[in-house]
C-alpha cells in the first residue's frame, strides 16, 4: 500500500533539482522563442549614423526653404542632393530626407515641391538603442521582433537556456502506445527536447534507466501496485526511489527518484493519470529546466460552479470541467479513470490539499487546455 | 506615387485566395498541434469490453458480500478471482475489481477485507466513447490528450490540414539579414512550413519569383518608391501586381500580386513596417492556409489610454503601446520607423480606417506581443 507524500513536499524536492537551467550561446538568427540565460546589452549606439526613414533624396533642409507646389525649387543632384532608400545612412553633408512624392526629377535636376526641416524623415543616432543599455534580461523569451532588432544591433550570438534533454521511456505494453506521443507533445510545448519515446521490455528496464543521460527522465507506466510496479522496482534497482506515490488525483501512484544524480519521474500508465501527473509534476520540472516559469502554462479564466466539487482532504485534485460562458460545469467528478473526461473538458479546476472541494455557486479558476496552441 | 488600396479590399482578395487549405492524412501519433481537415468519428465502442480501472483482483462482487476488517472472506484465486492491472480487460466471469489495499494474499487464497459492488473499479463498455460518435470536427486543433484518446480508440490516421509551404525571399541587401529570421519565426508560429529565407540578387529576382512553387510567397524589401521598388518590378515581370500599396501604417508600401496562380506579398524592407504588414496581411494568409482562424493570434486585454492616439482617416494604424496594470501608454506615436518601438512595447492598439484615433481615457483593446510563446 502506498503512503503518498504531500504535493508541496514533492515539488520542493523537484524544484531544487531543476532550478539551474544550463546556458549555451546561440546564433541570434536561430533564437526566436528561446529563453535568455543572461542579459543582452547594446554594443553600440544604433543607428550609428543618421539614417533615412523614407525613400527619397537626402539633402540640406535649408535648401528647401520656401518650396511649394506653386514655387518648386530646382536643386542639382550631387553630394548634397542624393537619392536614398529607407534604412540607408545619410550622406555627410545632408540633414533631412524629402520623399519622392514631394519631388520631380528631370535628369540631373530635382524639382522640390515642399520644404523639409532638419531631421525630417531621418532616424537620429541612437534612436533605436543606446550603447550599454540592457535591452533584455535573463528569463526573457525572445520574440521575432526582438531577434530582428538584435541582428540589426550587430549582436551575433545570445546566451540562451539550453533545451533540456527529456527522455521518455514507456513501460506499459500498450500496442499501440497512446501515452508516449501525448507526453512527447507536452514536453515539446514546455520547451524540452529529446528523441521519440523508447519501449524497453520489463526485464531490461532497470538497465535502460541506468544507461540514460537525460536532464530528466520520464517513465510511463509500472508505477502501480501488486504486479504493476515494474518501473518503481526498476528505479529502485537503477538508482533510488524518493517518493512512492504523491497526494494528487488522478495520478496518485506517481513515483519519483534519482538515477546517476538526475531526477526520474514515473507517471502512471492509465492516460488520464499520466496526463494529470505530467501537468502537476513532470511539466513543472521540464519548464524549470527550460528556464520558464514553473507555473501551469495554461490560460486561465474565472467562472461560477453550477455543481459542487467534492474532494478528499489532504490531496490535490484535478477536476475536469466544461466552460459555458461564465458557467463552470464539472465533468464526472467521480470518474478519475477515463481520458475522455479530459478530452471533453475545456480545462480543469484544482482543489487544494487543505480543501474538501467547492460549493455550487463558488467562483473558481479554470485552467484552459485549449490555449496552448 | 502610390495609391493605396483599402485594408478591407485587400483582405477580401487575400482571403479568397487562401480560404481552402489542403488536407492530408497523418499518423495520429504525429498529429499533436495539427488542425483537423475533417471530422473524426469513433470506430467502435471504447472500451470494447469492461476494463479494470485500478490494480487489484477481478472478481464476482456477490462473493464479497459481508466482507470487512473484522470479517475477512477467503476466496480462492482462479477463473473468478484473478489479478488485473489498471487498463486490462476483465475476465469473462467477473463484474468488479477490488483494490490490492483491500485484500491480503496468502498463496492461492485471497483474503478480502471490504465488499465491492458490481461495476466497482470497472470502466464499462463505451464509457470513453461510443461507436459512430463524432469526437472532433474540422478545424479542431488536436491537443496531446486528444491524440492519446484517438490512439486508444484505434484511429491510426487523421485528416489534417497540410502545413502550407511559405517561401521567404529577402531582397534588401542587409548584411546580416534582420527581417528574414523574424518573418520565418512568425510563419512558423502561424503554422506555416518552409525552408530558410533565400537572398537572390536584384537582377535575378524576377526569375527567382517565377521559379517558386510555394502556397504563398513572402518577399521582403523592394516595395518602396524611386529606386527602391525592385521587388514590385520583379513581381510585375514574373506575374502581376494587384495592389501597389495598402492603407495600413506602418507598412503602407506593402504590395500584393500573383505568380503562377499563387499569391505573393511583398513586405516593406524596414523591419517595423515588415512586422506590421506581416501581422495585418501575410500572417492572416498563412493562418488561413494552415486551417487556423485568420484573426490576429495575439492574446488581448482591455485598458485605458493615458494619452491620446492620433491617426489619419482612411488608414488602419498599428500603434505600439506599453501596458502598466490597467493603463495603456502609447509609444512614440509619431515614430513609425523604428523597430525598437515594437520591441519596447507590450503590444499594439489598432486604429480602424474610419477613425481619427482615440482620446485620453478611452478604453481600448491591446493585442499582446508576448503571449504567443
Amino acid at each position: 500500500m502506498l503512503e503518498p507524500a504531500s504535493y508541496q513536499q514533492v515539488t520542493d524536492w523537484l524544484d531544487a533539482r531543476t532550478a539551474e537551467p544550463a546556458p549555451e550561446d546561440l546564433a541570434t538568427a536561430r533564437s526566436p522563442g528561446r529563453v535568455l540565460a543572461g542579459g543582452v546589452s547594446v554594443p553600440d549606439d544604433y543607428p550609428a549614423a543618421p539614417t533615412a526613414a523614407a525613400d527619397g533624396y537626402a539633402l540640406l533642409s535649408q535648401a528647401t526653404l520656401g518650396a511649394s507646389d506653386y514655387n518648386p525649387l530646382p536643386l542639382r543632384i550631387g553630394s548634397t542632393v542624393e537619392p536614398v532608400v529607407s534604412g540607408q545612412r545619410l550622406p555627410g553633408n545632408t540633414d533631412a530626407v524629402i520623399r519622392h512624392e514631394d519631388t520631380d526629377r528631370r535628369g540631373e535636376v530635382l524639382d522640390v515641391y515642399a520644404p523639409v526641416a532638419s531631421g525630417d524623415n531621418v532616424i537620429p543616432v541612437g534612436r533605436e538603442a543606446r550603447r550599454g543599455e540592457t535591452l533584455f534580461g535573463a528569463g526573457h523569451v525572445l520574440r521575432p521582433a526582438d531577434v530582428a532588432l538584435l541582428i540589426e544591433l550587430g549582436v551575433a550570438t545570445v546566451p540562451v537556456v539550453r533545451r533540456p534533454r527529456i527522455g521518455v521511456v514507456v513501460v506499459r505494453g500498450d500496442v499501440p502506445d497512446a501515452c508516449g506521443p501525448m507526453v512527447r507533445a507536452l514536453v515539446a510545448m514546455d520547451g524540452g527536447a529529446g528523441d521519440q519515446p523508447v519501449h524497453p521490455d520489463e526485464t531490461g528496464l532497470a538497465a535502460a534507466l541506468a544507461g540514460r543521460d537525460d536532464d530528466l527522465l520520464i517513465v510511463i507506466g509500472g508505477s502501480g501496485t501488486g504486479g504493476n510496479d515494474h518501473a518503481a522496482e526498476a528505479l529502485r534497482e537503477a538508482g533510488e526511489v524518493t517518493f512512492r506515490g504523491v497526494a494528487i488525483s488522478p495520478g496518485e501512484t506517481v513515483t519519483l527518484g534519482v538515477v546517476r544524480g538526475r531526477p526520474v519521474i514515473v507517471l502512471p500508465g492509465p492516460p488520464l493519470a499520466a496526463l494529470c501527473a505530467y501537468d502537476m509534476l513532470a511539466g513543472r520540472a521540464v519548464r524549470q529546466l527550460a528556464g520558464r516559469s514553473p507555473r501551469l502554462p495554461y490560460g486561465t479564466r474565472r467562472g461560477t460552479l453550477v455543481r459542487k466539487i467534492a474532494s478528499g482532504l489532504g490531496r490535490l485534485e484535478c477536476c475536469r470541467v466544461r466552460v459555458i460562458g461564465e458557467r463552470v460545469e464539472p465533468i464526472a467528478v467521480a470518474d478519475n479513470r477515463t481520458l475522455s473526461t479530459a478530452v471533453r473538458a475545456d480545462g480543469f479546476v484544482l482543489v487544494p490539499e487543505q480543501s474538501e472541494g467547492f460549493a455550487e455557486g463558488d467562483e473558481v479558476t479554470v485552467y484552459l487546455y485549449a490555449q496552448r496552441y
Side-chain angles (χ1 to χ4, degrees), chain A:
Chain A
M1 206 168 144
L2 307 179
E3 285 170 25
S6 80
Y7 182 65
Q8 183 68 51
Q9 192 182 357
V10 175
T11 52
D12 285 350
W13 179 87
L14 200 54
D15 288 357
R17 272 147 197 85
T18 54
E20 287 178 25
E24 65 178 353
D25 283 327
L26 188 68
T28 307
R30 291 178 54 207
S31 69
R34 298 294 291 265
V35 180
L36 282 177
V40 177
S41 299
V42 177
D44 277 303
D45 285 353
Y46 187 83
T51 300
D55 300 334
Y57 290 84
L59 40 61
L60 272 168
S61 54
Q62 66 188 50
T64 67
L65 218 70
S68 74
D69 283 345
Y70 307 101
N71 181 38
L73 296 182
L75 303 178
R76 183 154 297 276
I77 308 286
S79 69
T80 58
V81 181
E82 278 191 32
V84 287
V85 301
S86 183
Q88 192 177 329
R89 184 181 284 219
L90 246 58
N93 293 323
T94 63
D95 69 344
V97 172
I98 189 163
R99 292 168 181 274
H100 285 294
E101 52 259 48
D102 294 326
T103 66
D104 206 1
R105 181 162 178 174
R106 297 171 290 128
E108 289 308 294
V109 172
L110 186 72
D111 287 331
V112 169
Y113 290 89
V116 288
S118 181
D120 273 4
N121 299 314
V122 173
I123 304 171
V125 171
R127 165 63 70 91
E128 292 270 27
R130 284 288 180 191
R131 177 180 185 152
E133 180 191 352
T134 298
L135 211 46
F136 309 109
H140 178 78
V141 179
L142 289 167
R143 301 166 298 179
D146 300 340
V147 168
L149 182 60
L150 289 173
I151 293 172
E152 290 212 303
L153 297 178
V155 177
T157 62
V158 284
V160 298
V161 174
R162 176 171 64 69
R163 280 196 203 283
R165 289 184 309 276
I166 313 294
V168 178
V169 174
V170 181
V171 174
R172 212 176 172 219
D174 272 342
V175 178
D177 166 29
C179 282
M182 174 177 78
V183 169
R184 192 81 225 122
L186 290 164
V187 164
M189 289 160 88
D190 283 325
D195 302 325
Q196 289 300 311
V198 296
H199 302 78
D201 63 23
E202 284 167 8
T203 54
L205 190 53
L209 299 194
R212 304 287 308 195
D213 190 28
D214 311 281
D215 295 306
L216 169 73
L217 186 58
I218 300 175
V219 181
I220 307 170
S223 70
T225 53
N228 190 20
D229 60 352
H230 306 289
E233 284 309 307
L235 177 55
R236 204 181 306 277
E237 198 178 320
E240 62 178 70
V241 170
T242 311
F243 299 105
R244 184 78 178 93
V246 181
I248 61 173
S249 177
E252 53 270 54
T253 65
V254 62
T255 295
L256 298 94
V258 175
V259 171
R260 296 169 63 187
R262 307 288 175 81
V264 178
I265 304 178
V266 185
L267 303 177
L272 177 65
L275 174 67
C276 294
Y278 179 90
D279 271 340
M280 301 314 297
L281 290 166
R284 179 184 179 95
V286 175
R287 290 189 295 277
Q288 284 238 118
L289 286 168
R292 304 189 184 186
S293 162
R295 287 181 308 173
L296 283 167
Y298 300 109
T300 60
R301 59 172 300 176
R302 301 281 289 172
T304 304
L305 275 180
V306 300
R307 278 201 307 279
K308 74 166 183 177
I309 296 177
S311 169
L313 254 187
R315 69 176 184 224
L316 177 68
E317 186 128 12
C318 168
C319 174
R320 282 82 59 215
V321 298
R322 281 215 190 82
V323 180
I324 301 136
E326 301 294 311
R327 295 157 51 90
V328 176
E329 188 185 339
I331 296 181
V333 180
D335 185 350
N336 261 344
R337 291 292 160 180
T338 54
L339 181 61
S340 59
T341 57
V343 168
R344 297 176 201 278
D346 297 307
F348 57 90
V349 168
L350 290 179
V351 185
E353 292 171 284
Q354 65 278 18
S355 162
E356 292 186 81
F358 297 110
E360 180 185 330
D362 276 1
E363 206 189 316
V364 291
T365 297
V366 180
Y367 295 88
L368 297 161
Y369 281 130
Q371 304 208 342
R372 296 191 69 186
Y373 286 113

